[in-house]
Amino acid sequence: MAFLRQLKVVWVGFQAHAITLLRALGLNILICWLRSLEFRRVKRKNLLEPPKIAIRKNRLSALLRALVHALPVAAALGLVTINLYRYYVGSSIQPLAFYQVIAKIHEIMIQASLAAIVFSYIRHEMVLGQGIPLGAMFSGLQLSQSIELYLRLVNNAMPRGFETVYDEAPNSVQVTGKASLRHLKIGRQIWLPFVNSDNETIVATAEQAAVADALTATGDLWQTAIGNVNTGGHGVPFDQLDAIQSITTNYYQPYTIASCAEDTIEGPSDKRPLAFPITPGVLPQNLPEQQINNSLLSNPAFSFLDVTRAEMLDTAGSLRETRLRWIELPQDPFNGSAIGAVVLLPDQNPRPEESRHQQIVVCNLAAGWGPSTLNMSSSDNGSTNVQSVISDSGSVSRRVQSLPGPTRTTYAPAAEMSADSNFFVLPIYPKRQMNVSLSWSQYLNPFVSDLNTTVFHQLMKSNLTNRDPAVSARVILSSLLANGLARIGIESSLQGNLKMANNSKGKSVMDSDAWFRGQDAFIVDPQESKDWVKLQVQSTFEGYAYNTSGTGPKISIVFLSIYCAFAIAHTCYAGISGISSTCWDSIGEVTALAMNSAPTTLLRNTSAGLADSKVYRLPARIFAKSDDAGEGEHLELVLGEQDEKTVEQRTIKVNRVYG
């Protein structure tokens, strides 16, 4: 019999600790379910709530109650650690729903943990302390609303995806190098330095073919390097090859701009000098305004006295085709000009030479090398096409906007300029102006034997713009020049020997760790390479990673650290003092306590609502009171100030059972 009694005592203790643990974890529903089974077992002979201990002093119970902090604190510390460690997850999160569920569970556990801390303080003050304002009794119940912002900040510490999205220009064509696929971007720039100026100048740019080829080769090497790298625990990127290869410094690519106007040659006897539009993209104060003649063309123009209009009739080619003739323009007065061009439009019904009038388009082109950033995405499917953006586009835009009023409004679109824009305003951008020789320009319009015509005629024949020939000439000439400049040095390629290292099997493989440490991936001879162009390639994983970049993760880490400090301090307090309680942490329990309390005149006229905040400021405490039948004590909520004798006599005792 003694053994059975002892077993019963152990079972009752186990039940008490189990209930404490379930309540601590917010699993009250299981408690209710177990009690319902008990009620069914006794066939509803006793449906009354059993008396309970309000304040328990037992270290085991207190530590069990503090277990509500264990999982959320462990998860929070782990989250802070992997963010500081910058752990790389991968190019994708599989399954994403699993992360979402885990994040929601963590959120719920943090709410329960914080609620336990708040309720612990409220109970201590109401039972053993000086009391709290009546309105503060419900702060624990409303905790989930007050920490909503906090939890949103915590979510910033979850793995975030980053991707590079390239917005293709409205007018863009793909061009090739020896091993790369590039973009030739063509854009329109508003340019109105003077009255009647050509306001539809065309800006074109293309990535340097040799550099794009080198970057593509780097992307191919990435496929090999990723399999040999030692990640140091930062994920397993071997099957996640998505990355961005970038050249951000010391890279310049050509930017060209063209302005054109229509004109007429009045037969072989037309000895008038040619006229060309003023150099596009040049600030008005840098042009000799006194030499501008508005009567030569429909747009402001400079005369070119070295060639007459009649001499243009000798341009090689069929009269039924569009012919092109390059003209070297002097810097005085064509300041900033790279080269000029005369387009002779086709005549389908040629007349005798002495009476033939020739419709022409005269163009002025400028060119320069602009600092740019080169990007290429590589994945397990291979490398994609190479694309570029303007380096520090924000600074360029601000410089243009700081120009004097009349000039600044000339380039109004610069206020909305983005990194992938085409832009040309000398001397601001591009930074290195260039001139093109007549002999070199001949290579821009080769004769295609398979088509039995020139490249320029074939492009003009396609009527790219569906508008007048001057617009088509702007687009084609600026594009030909940009692509031609971008192909300079196309035979160049990566030089040097790859760094090699022995792997764990003793096999010589590419030293990928050197690449990932930011060291040179190639071994080159210092003397042999002294005149080589050295470009630094930045390789970036494209995927999800825990990190500390940005304001959000930093704030999240601070809040998580503060939360962990409070939770650990509360656990230490519970373990040292042994004080714990599971009472009055739900609306039902607070309601039951209020209904078992004696009415007070301080709450008179409040049954229909509260209109004055003074009621919420009333001090509230919980005291013990003897039952009228003398069968024990119960607890009640008492409002208002109490004298010391009442407090001493009615203070709740630890480990005492109350009905």
Side-chain angles (χ1 to χ4, degrees):
M1 295 296 294
F3 172 76
L4 292 178
R5 284 195 299 270
Q6 186 66 26
L7 184 62
K8 184 177 181 180
V9 171
V10 172
W11 173 247
V12 171
F14 172 78
Q15 283 184 315
H17 291 318
I19 291 175
T20 299
L21 178 61
L22 291 175
R23 288 181 68 98
L25 299 178
L27 299 177
N28 292 340
I29 188 172
L30 291 180
I31 300 175
C32 296
W33 179 68
L34 292 174
R35 286 180 177 175
S36 67
L37 295 180
E38 179 69 15
F39 291 156
R40 292 177 184 177
R41 188 180 67 82
V42 300
K43 298 181 180 180
R44 298 184 178 272
K45 291 182 179 180
N46 184 13
L47 299 181
L48 296 177
E49 282 276 340
K52 306 172 189 67
I53 297 176
I55 301 297
R56 188 185 301 272
K57 188 170 184 179
N58 182 284
R59 285 192 174 87
L60 178 59
S61 296
L63 290 175
L64 287 175
R65 177 63 181 166
L67 281 178
V68 69
H69 305 309
L71 288 178
V73 168
L77 290 176
L79 200 57
V80 170
T81 301
I82 59 179
N83 271 274
L84 295 176
Y85 189 56
R86 299 183 179 181
Y87 181 77
Y88 173 72
V89 178
S91 60
S92 61
I93 297 180
Q94 298 294 338
L96 182 60
F98 174 76
Y99 272 84
Q100 293 174 332
V101 171
I102 293 299
K104 192 62 180 178
I105 292 175
H106 189 210
E107 175 184 333
I108 294 172
M109 291 192 300
I110 289 179
Q111 289 190 32
S113 175
L114 291 173
I117 297 174
V118 173
F119 278 124
S120 177
Y121 174 77
I122 291 174
R123 292 192 199 97
H124 181 275
E125 290 301 308
M126 294 186 68
V127 174
L128 304 175
Q130 302 299 316
I132 62 171
L134 177 63
M137 281 188 61
F138 306 95
S139 57
L141 301 175
Q142 301 298 323
L143 188 64
S144 61
Q145 297 179 10
S146 63
I147 64 173
E148 181 179 358
L149 176 61
Y150 162 78
L151 292 172
R152 288 181 180 178
L153 291 172
V154 169
N155 288 335
N156 283 326
M158 294 298 290
R160 298 184 302 161
F162 60 91
E163 57 180 344
T164 305
V165 180
Y166 301 104
D167 296 325
E168 191 176 35
N171 297 311
S172 178
V173 295
Q174 291 182 336
V175 292
T176 60
K178 294 181 64 177
S180 61
L181 189 63
R182 301 171 292 129
H183 270 184
L184 172 62
K185 295 190 295 183
I186 307 164
R188 175 174 173 264
Q189 176 175 297
I190 301 297
W191 185 69
L192 292 171
F194 305 109
V195 178
N196 297 326
S197 295
D198 180 10
N199 64 348
E200 289 196 12
T201 55
I202 300 298
V203 181
T205 185
E207 296 82 11
Q208 285 197 54
V211 181
D213 289 347
L215 194 61
T216 301
T218 303
D220 294 337
L221 287 175
W222 179 267
Q223 310 285 328
T224 304
I226 202 72
N228 302 327
V229 67
N230 178 15
T231 62
H234 286 72
V236 184
F238 178 67
D239 58 346
Q240 302 160 346
L241 301 176
D242 290 357
I244 299 173
Q245 319 293 341
S246 301
I247 297 177
T248 59
T249 57
N250 300 324
Y251 168 70
Y252 290 77
Q253 73 180 41
Y255 286 80
T256 62
I257 186 171
S259 176
C260 298
E262 297 183 13
D263 201 0
T264 303
I265 300 176
E266 298 176 353
S269 60
D270 191 346
K271 303 302 181 181
R272 293 178 298 162
L274 279 172
F276 291 86
I278 59 177
T279 308
V282 177
L283 297 178
Q285 58 265 34
N286 295 332
L287 293 172
E289 186 174 353
Q290 68 278 5
Q291 298 186 45
I292 294 177
N293 190 335
N294 291 325
S295 63
L296 298 174
L297 298 173
S298 58
N299 301 331
F302 293 126
S303 297
F304 181 56
L305 304 178
D306 294 352
V307 180
T308 64
R309 298 173 186 239
E311 292 179 58
M312 295 297 101
L313 297 176
D314 298 332
T315 303
S318 171
L319 299 180
R320 298 180 185 274
E321 294 184 354
T322 305
R323 294 173 290 166
L324 173 63
R325 186 160 177 173
W326 298 103
I327 303 292
E328 286 190 9
L329 299 177
Q331 292 301 303
D332 183 16
F334 297 97
N335 183 28
S337 175
I339 197 168
V342 178
V343 178
L344 290 83
L345 301 178
D347 189 352
Q348 301 302 325
N349 299 298
R351 290 171 289 179
E353 183 175 343
E354 61 274 5
S355 61
R356 177 160 47 91
H357 285 203
Q358 175 67 56
Q359 298 297 319
I360 63 173
V361 176
V362 287
C363 301
N364 191 354
L365 290 85
W369 297 99
S372 305
T373 297
L374 211 58
N375 297 301
M376 184 204 65
S377 298
S378 58
S379 65
D380 52 0
N381 295 322
S383 300
T384 63
N385 54 332
V386 179
Q387 303 192 44
S388 62
V389 295
I390 294 176
S391 297
D392 198 10
S393 59
S395 175
V396 174
S397 180
R398 288 191 295 272
R399 288 185 61 192
V400 174
Q401 294 306 304
S402 66
L403 293 172
T407 304
R408 177 172 54 81
T409 56
T410 298
Y411 304 98
E416 302 174 359
M417 187 188 72
S418 60
D420 60 351
S421 302
N422 289 7
F423 191 70
F424 201 108
V425 176
L426 293 177
I428 296 177
Y429 194 90
K431 292 186 176 181
R432 299 179 180 177
Q433 181 184 342
M434 73 177 80
N435 297 323
V436 175
S437 67
L438 186 61
S439 58
W440 184 87
S441 64
Q442 304 302 324
Y443 294 103
L444 299 177
N445 185 31
F447 184 84
V448 183
S449 56
D450 292 344
L451 300 176
N452 195 31
T453 187
T454 62
V455 170
F456 183 73
H457 168 70
Q458 189 66 24
L459 292 173
M460 288 290 289
K461 181 181 176 182
S462 63
N463 194 18
L464 296 175
T465 61
N466 294 318
R467 297 175 62 184
D468 60 80
V471 177
S472 297
R474 294 187 192 98
V475 174
I476 295 171
L477 289 174
S478 59
S479 301
L480 286 176
L481 183 56
N483 189 47
L485 293 169
R487 294 178 67 85
I488 295 176
I490 194 172
E491 298 299 327
S492 302
S493 61
L494 290 177
Q495 301 295 313
N497 299 314
L498 284 173
K499 283 186 178 180
M500 306 299 288
N502 293 329
N503 61 11
S504 57
K505 298 180 181 180
K507 182 180 178 180
S508 179
V509 297
M510 179 180 176
D511 188 2
S512 304
D513 290 336
W515 187 345
F516 280 74
R517 288 194 299 267
Q519 301 175 4
D520 290 337
F522 292 88
I523 299 175
V524 296
D525 182 82
Q527 292 299 321
E528 185 182 2
S529 62
K530 63 180 181 179
D531 296 326
W532 293 355
V533 176
K534 184 177 181 180
L535 297 171
Q536 183 175 0
V537 178
Q538 296 180 354
S539 301
T540 306
F541 278 104
E542 187 177 52
Y544 293 85
Y546 295 90
N547 61 82
T548 57
S549 301
T551 305
K554 291 183 176 64
I555 295 177
S556 301
I557 290 173
V558 171
F559 272 82
L560 282 173
S561 301
I562 294 174
Y563 156 70
C564 291
F566 273 103
I568 293 173
H570 182 251
T571 303
C572 294
Y573 166 78
I576 295 173
S577 67
I579 299 295
S580 66
S581 176
T582 58
C583 303
W584 315 303
D585 56 3
S586 68
I587 294 178
E589 292 184 350
V590 174
T591 302
L593 174 66
M595 295 186 68
N596 280 281
S597 303
T600 174
T601 57
L602 296 175
L603 294 181
R604 183 175 296 171
N605 302 325
T606 60
S607 60
L610 298 175
D612 195 338
S613 61
K614 293 181 180 179
V615 176
Y616 292 106
R617 296 197 295 269
L618 291 173
R621 300 186 66 171
I622 299 176
F623 287 136
K625 182 180 180 181
S626 300
D627 292 333
D628 294 337
E631 297 178 355
E633 292 179 306
H634 71 276
L635 304 178
E636 66 176 7
L637 181 65
V638 179
L639 302 181
E641 299 292 343
Q642 305 295 321
D643 56 74
E644 293 183 4
K645 184 177 181 180
T646 301
V647 172
E648 182 179 354
Q649 293 177 349
R650 300 184 60 184
T651 297
I652 298 175
K653 305 298 188 294
V654 297
N655 294 331
R656 178 176 293 187
V657 175
Y658 294 95

